[in-house]
Amino acid sequence: MSVTKKNFGKNENGQEVTLYTMKNKNGMVAEVTDYGAILVNLFVPDKAGNVDDIVLGFDKVDGYFGNGSFFGATIGPNANRIADACFSIDGVRYQLAVNDNQNNLHSDEKIGYHKRMWAAECGDNKVVFTLTDEETMGFPGTKQVAVTYELTDDNEVKISYEADSDKKTLINMTNHTYFNLVSHDAAPIHDHQMCILASHYTPVVAGAIPTGEIAPVEGTVFDFRKPMAVGDHVEDDIEQLKLVEGYDHNWVIDDFDGKMKKVAVVTEPTKGRTMEVYTDLPGIQFYAGNCIKPETGKGGASYGKRSGLCLETQAFPDSVNRENFPDVIYGPDRRYETTTIYKFIW
């Protein structure tokens, strides 16, 4: 099906911003914008045939000018945290913005990819966003970046990332959409049944930087290999949870081989929606929305703590500073290319 377009307001510089709409034959609708390559709306039927928007966000582009929670955002060139906001490549040290205690989070809150205007080209039920990033934010290399959103008739939101750099650089992108499988304006996600197909995770220290250990989930509140409600243990008096106010950790995909595989499943029992997550990446960050600050979202909805959850596919946090973590250095001899799929069943 063809993609339709409509005005979504103007950015901070007065540029026109566009909202692109994709529909499939089963009643799903996905809407994305060239401001930040953001997923704005995702309408999905439930078991009774009723359709709800299940992602948190804003009605107009100006809501995304702040967007401290990164609703729907394409994060780049690096997602998640980097210890002490610095890293080295071939002995050269690179300093990034210190924006999360003493660390770096999501590259840059002001000029990260979620705040850029992207060029857009529409295809068959897909939108390809592209930008050129010329050595900004402290990251080396001029990067040619593309993010493609596609809505399939198999009820998949497929997000593909590509990047080429003329120098060795750090690339580890993700999508930061918050899902609530009841509706974006529903109660917190405590009753969502979560399954993460991983037998290990990466514990953290204060500031949410991994210790470097790859720890077993067996016998811990991090064992989601069988479905468990998000709210069952999220408030438990456990140091790992208290450090980040709930779940905000990276799980290590079992038997990672770079091929596409199912890594997580979320089910909401009342509406009957299920979301499956597939990726070819080695990690997935489950963030339970612990730190969403109260604010007004789409349709006047009141968003707050745990209004939605994120499942961010990625290499591990601070991988660039850990030899035993995945290699996140790309450049002239190594292209960045990865795909993540969010598939819906009702």
Side-chain angles (χ1 to χ4, degrees), residues 8-184:
F8 196 48
K10 294 183 178 181
N11 73 356
E12 299 97 322
N13 299 320
Q15 270 182 287
E16 295 287 337
V17 177
T18 301
L19 192 67
Y20 299 84
T21 301
M22 298 170 279
K23 301 178 180 180
N24 76 2
K25 66 180 183 181
N26 305 312
M28 279 185 65
V29 178
E31 295 189 302
V32 295
T33 179
D34 48 10
Y35 181 87
I38 288 169
L39 176 60
V40 175
N41 302 309
L42 184 60
F43 296 92
V44 180
D46 66 10
K47 62 184 179 182
N50 299 309
V51 178
D52 297 289
D53 183 1
I54 62 164
V55 301
L56 277 59
F58 302 102
D59 289 320
K60 296 180 180 179
V61 70
D62 52 12
Y64 293 99
F65 295 169
N67 197 16
S69 294
F70 300 89
F71 294 141
T74 291
I75 305 294
N78 181 72
N80 219 307
R81 292 171 174 86
I82 296 175
D84 299 321
C86 65
F87 63 95
S88 296
I89 299 175
D90 295 338
V92 179
R93 184 178 183 273
Y94 297 95
Q95 180 66 50
L96 307 177
V98 178
N99 60 12
D100 188 60
N101 299 309
Q102 75 271 26
N103 306 313
N104 177 268
L105 174 64
H106 298 329
S107 300
D108 195 292
E109 60 186 324
K110 296 179 180 178
I111 56 172
Y113 291 172
H114 68 299
K115 294 291 179 69
R116 303 285 188 92
M117 284 298 300
W118 296 64
E121 184 175 332
C122 300
D124 186 16
N125 234 25
K126 67 181 180 182
V127 182
V128 182
F129 293 117
T130 56
L131 64 74
T132 299
D133 177 17
E134 297 181 348
E135 299 225 11
T136 60
M137 299 175 275
F139 295 90
T142 295
K143 294 165 282 295
Q144 305 294 333
V145 186
V147 176
T148 300
Y149 286 92
E150 181 180 3
L151 177 61
T152 76
D153 282 335
D154 291 325
N155 304 323
E156 299 169 333
V157 176
K158 184 180 294 187
I159 309 175
S160 299
Y161 307 81
E162 300 169 82
D164 294 290
S165 176
D166 63 355
K167 295 179 184 177
K168 285 186 178 180
T169 193
L170 165 57
I171 306 176
N172 179 28
M173 296 176 65
T174 199
N175 181 275
H176 209 295
T177 293
Y178 290 74
F179 298 94
N180 186 317
L181 297 183
V182 177
S183 176
H184 77 95

Side-chain angles (χ1 to χ4, degrees), residues 61 63 78 90 110 136 154 183 215 221 225 236 240-241 283-284 287 304 323:
V61 70
N78 181 72
D90 295 338
K110 296 179 180 178
T136 60
D154 291 325
S183 176
V221 298
R225 290 174 294 177
D236 282 10
Q240 277 298 304
L241 296 179
I284 185 168
Y287 173 46
E323 289 186 3

Side-chain angles (χ1 to χ4, degrees), residues 168-241:
K168 285 186 178 180
T169 193
L170 165 57
I171 306 176
N172 179 28
M173 296 176 65
T174 199
N175 181 275
H176 209 295
T177 293
Y178 290 74
F179 298 94
N180 186 317
L181 297 183
V182 177
S183 176
H184 77 95
D185 56 357
I189 44 80
H190 294 112
D191 291 337
H192 284 49
Q193 297 287 318
M194 175 68 68
C195 180
I196 302 175
L197 303 173
S199 55
H200 292 79
Y201 79 110
T202 51
V204 298
V205 297
I209 297 295
T211 64
E213 179 186 8
I214 295 176
V217 300
E218 182 78 39
T220 76
V221 298
F222 296 92
D223 192 350
F224 284 97
R225 290 174 294 177
K226 293 182 180 179
M228 179 169 66
V230 173
D232 282 358
H233 296 289
V234 72
E235 299 280 2
D236 282 10
D237 187 15
I238 293 170
E239 183 187 16
Q240 277 298 304
L241 296 179

Side-chain angles (χ1 to χ4, degrees), residues 75 77 79 144-147 160-165 169-174 280-281 313-315 327-331 333-340:
I75 305 294
Q144 305 294 333
V145 186
V147 176
S160 299
Y161 307 81
E162 300 169 82
D164 294 290
S165 176
T169 193
L170 165 57
I171 306 176
N172 179 28
M173 296 176 65
T174 199
D280 51 15
L281 290 169
T313 57
Q314 57 174 13
D327 181 5
V328 289
I329 303 302
Y330 296 85
D333 299 322
R334 188 184 183 209
R335 188 168 199 257
Y336 181 79
E337 198 167 3
T338 180
T339 297
T340 292

